[in-house]
Amino acid sequence: MAAEHAVIDLDERNHQPAESGTTADDRLVTRRKMALGLVAVFVVGVVLGGFAVQRRDSRVQRERNGVVALVAIPQSASSGSSNFQTTTIEGGSAAPQVRLTGQLMLINACPAPITVRGVAVEVPGMASTSSGQPRLSPLGGTGQLVVELLSECSVALLREPLQLRFEVETEDKQVREVGYPVALAGSDWQRVALSSCEQA
């Protein structure tokens, strides 16, 4: 009898008991759960990251809106009538006084729009009122404010610079005060005030 050759069938699969198949299925399920978990962690990270960025941007925006910086330049001026009802300055003497109405150019130097609601002079022997509430666009927006001054001639715009305090409403609807020293040398304001006091 001829010897039989051993033949290996390459198509034959290694059939394992049912327990091994269950373990493979468990591994597949575990991998899917891990993948879903990683996706969930990624999505939560994106949401939290977006929330953190939004909060930071909101905080930056609030800080930006709260900045107040402006430049004030005296323009034309005239002496004479004003809205002041008194003839003497509170706490002042009965010394000669000058009444001056002047235009003040305002330039917004902050990154958000502002509204200038009023101005007050911070010099003893002087009082002020203002009219108009110019809204200034960001970074370079300009506007005019009419300022009326009542000053003792002994003080009248001789001090350099003139200290003014502006009441400003910012974009976040908050009212803030900012001081600014206005240079008067050679301005109409100083010229009219000195001329009026010489005639008093």
Side-chain angles (χ1 to χ4, degrees), residues 67-78:
V67 172
V68 176
L70 57 85
V71 176
I73 303 169
Q75 301 290 297
S76 61
S78 62

Side-chain angles (χ1 to χ4, degrees), residues 70-76 102-108 142-145 147 164 166 180-185 187-189:
L70 57 85
V71 176
I73 303 169
Q75 301 290 297
S76 61
Q103 295 279 336
L104 193 62
M105 177 189 281
L106 303 174
I107 304 170
N108 186 2
T142 61
Q144 295 281 336
L145 190 66
V147 180
L164 297 179
F166 295 90
Y180 187 81
V182 176
L184 296 174
S187 70
D188 262 10
W189 288 33

Side-chain angles (χ1 to χ4, degrees), residues 80-93:
S81 62
S82 76
N83 291 330
F84 289 103
Q85 302 298 315
T86 58
T87 55
T88 58
I89 298 168
E90 184 179 335
S93 64

Side-chain angles (χ1 to χ4, degrees), residues 32-164:
R32 284 183 181 161
K33 284 182 180 178
M34 283 180 51
L36 287 174
L38 289 174
V39 168
V41 168
F42 176 74
V43 169
V44 169
V46 167
V47 169
L48 290 177
F51 180 70
V53 168
Q54 183 180 10
R55 282 191 65 190
R56 186 196 69 211
D57 290 347
S58 177
R59 180 176 48 81
V60 168
Q61 181 73 20
R62 281 195 310 272
E63 289 172 0
R64 177 180 163 268
N65 289 342
V67 172
V68 176
L70 57 85
V71 176
I73 303 169
Q75 301 290 297
S76 61
S78 62
S79 63
S81 62
S82 76
N83 291 330
F84 289 103
Q85 302 298 315
T86 58
T87 55
T88 58
I89 298 168
E90 184 179 335
S93 64
Q97 298 173 350
V98 61
R99 295 172 188 266
L100 178 127
T101 301
Q103 295 279 336
L104 193 62
M105 177 189 281
L106 303 174
I107 304 170
N108 186 2
C110 56
I114 58 174
T115 301
V116 180
R117 294 174 41 166
V119 63
V121 66
E122 295 189 315
V123 177
M126 296 183 77
S128 67
T129 63
S130 62
S131 59
Q133 292 192 0
R135 182 166 175 77
L136 312 180
S137 56
L139 294 174
T142 61
Q144 295 281 336
L145 190 66
V146 176
V147 180
E148 295 187 351
L149 294 174
L150 177 62
S151 174
E152 294 178 358
C153 281
S154 59
V155 177
L157 306 183
L158 297 174
R159 296 185 183 180
E160 179 69 24
L162 177 64
Q163 294 294 330
L164 297 179

